[in-house]
Amino acid sequence: MKVTVDLDQCEANGICVGIAPDVFELDDEDVLHIVAADVPEDRLADVEDAVAQCPKAALKLR
């Protein structure tokens, strides 16, 4: 599965980073980057949680 971010929707509040810091990262300008777009099977549950908890629904998992 792949995770994507809609940067127009993202508020960079960092909830996803707190849940899966090995997949999501905020840079110095508070722009979200996806470190591992292809989600490893063992990280899928955390990424699903991050997607579900995104307050702006900026994350998608496909």
Side-chain angles (χ1 to χ4, degrees):
M1 299 201 86
K2 288 188 182 260
V3 65
T4 59
V5 61
D6 180 343
L7 292 174
D8 291 330
Q9 293 284 30
C10 181
E11 292 181 331
N13 57 39
I15 292 173
C16 56
V17 177
I19 295 170
D22 55 326
V23 177
F24 304 100
E25 174 179 275
L26 285 175
D27 67 17
D28 292 338
E29 281 116 32
D30 286 335
V31 175
L32 182 69
H33 298 276
I34 297 175
V35 179
D38 291 314
V39 180
E41 196 66 32
D42 64 331
R43 301 300 293 134
L44 186 56
D46 283 339
V47 172
E48 287 174 333
D49 190 29
V51 170
Q53 290 193 43
C54 180
K56 296 299 282 183
L59 300 173
K60 302 287 183 229
L61 191 59
R62 300 185 174 135

